Amino acid sequence: MVNVDCAGGQDRATTTSETHPYIPPRKTRNCYTTRGNADFDSSLCGSSGDKACNTVGGTDACISDNQGGYCKSGSNYYVARGGVFSPLTHDQLLNRYRDGGGGDTDETGREVRRALNDQDRKFTNRIRELQIMEKDPLVQSSSSTKDDDKEVHGFIGDMLFNVGIGISFIIFIISVCIILIQNKVI
């Protein structure tokens, strides 16, 4: 499967909705003139039909951020307000990033948690697949160690048992001899 990027480097598979294909990604919604209308179509992501920043620089001009993104054309910045692109002053652009970008760390934490959960799910699925095929990696690694431990412990246990039996037999013979000597049978 090919990963297709929408304008602003947004992954189509994770940032757009299959059930609402005409709603742009949250981080680039200001790159499209009409929110929730036919101006954005997730099936057009990565193609020449993508209409992000269509009158102010094209798809490559779309910059994603936590406030909905903006379009950069030369040294000018624009955001979509309704059906038109409004210029963004330098002060307005700086205010977008003041104090950490208005939740930038929350968004980063959320993305990290999602990525970790996704990776955890993939590992769990792989383990389940191996268990179904009776190639359980968890049991195999621990059972081989246990088998080695059982062998070593079994050998040592058998050796100590045999030595104990031998010493018990020698003590029994010595005690019988002592009893016989005391009774002057020998």
Side-chain angles (χ1 to χ4, degrees), residues 39-40 84 101 108 113 117 129 153:
D39 203 22
F40 175 79
V84 296
T108 302
R113 282 191 305 276
N117 287 339
E129 287 174 9
H153 290 295

Coordinates of all heavy atoms in Angstrom, one line a residue, residues 39-40 84 101 108 113 117 129 153:
D39 N -14.1 21.6 -2.1 CA -12.8 22.1 -2.4 C -11.7 21.1 -1.9 O -10.7 21.0 -2.5 CB -12.6 23.4 -1.6 CG -11.6 24.3 -2.2 OD1 -11.2 24.1 -3.4 OD2 -11.0 25.2 -1.5
F40 N -12.0 20.3 -0.9 CA -11.1 19.3 -0.5 C -11.7 17.9 -0.8 O -12.9 17.7 -0.5 CB -10.8 19.4 1.0 CG -9.9 18.2 1.5 CD1 -8.6 18.2 1.3 CD2 -10.5 17.1 2.2 CE1 -7.8 17.1 1.7 CE2 -9.8 16.1 2.6 CZ -8.4 16.1 2.4
V84 N -12.4 32.8 0.4 CA -11.3 33.6 -0.1 C -10.1 33.4 0.8 O -10.2 33.0 2.0 CB -11.6 35.1 -0.2 CG1 -12.7 35.3 -1.2 CG2 -12.0 35.7 1.2
G101 N 2.9 27.4 20.5 CA 2.0 27.1 19.4 C 0.6 26.7 19.8 O 0.0 26.1 19.0
T108 N 2.0 16.9 20.1 CA 3.1 16.0 19.9 C 2.9 14.8 20.8 O 3.2 13.7 20.4 CB 4.4 16.7 20.3 OG1 4.5 17.9 19.4 CG2 5.6 15.8 20.1
R113 N 1.8 9.1 21.6 CA 0.9 8.0 22.1 C 0.3 7.2 21.1 O 0.2 5.9 21.2 CB -0.1 8.6 23.1 CG 0.4 9.0 24.4 CD -0.7 9.4 25.4 NE -1.6 10.4 24.9 CZ -1.4 11.7 25.0 NH1 -0.3 12.1 25.6 NH2 -2.3 12.6 24.6
N117 N 0.9 3.3 20.6 CA -0.2 2.3 20.6 C -0.3 1.5 19.3 O -0.6 0.3 19.3 CB -1.5 3.1 20.8 CG -1.7 3.5 22.3 OD1 -1.0 3.0 23.2 ND2 -2.5 4.5 22.5
E129 N -0.3 -14.0 15.8 CA -0.2 -14.8 14.5 C 0.8 -16.0 14.8 O 0.5 -17.1 14.4 CB 0.4 -13.9 13.4 CG -0.6 -12.9 12.8 CD 0.0 -12.0 11.9 OE1 1.2 -12.2 11.5 OE2 -0.6 -11.0 11.4
H153 N 19.9 -29.1 36.6 CA 19.4 -29.4 37.9 C 19.1 -30.9 38.1 O 19.4 -31.5 39.1 CB 18.1 -28.6 38.2 CG 18.4 -27.1 38.4 ND1 19.2 -26.6 39.4 CD2 18.0 -26.1 37.7 CE1 19.3 -25.3 39.3 NE2 18.6 -25.0 38.2

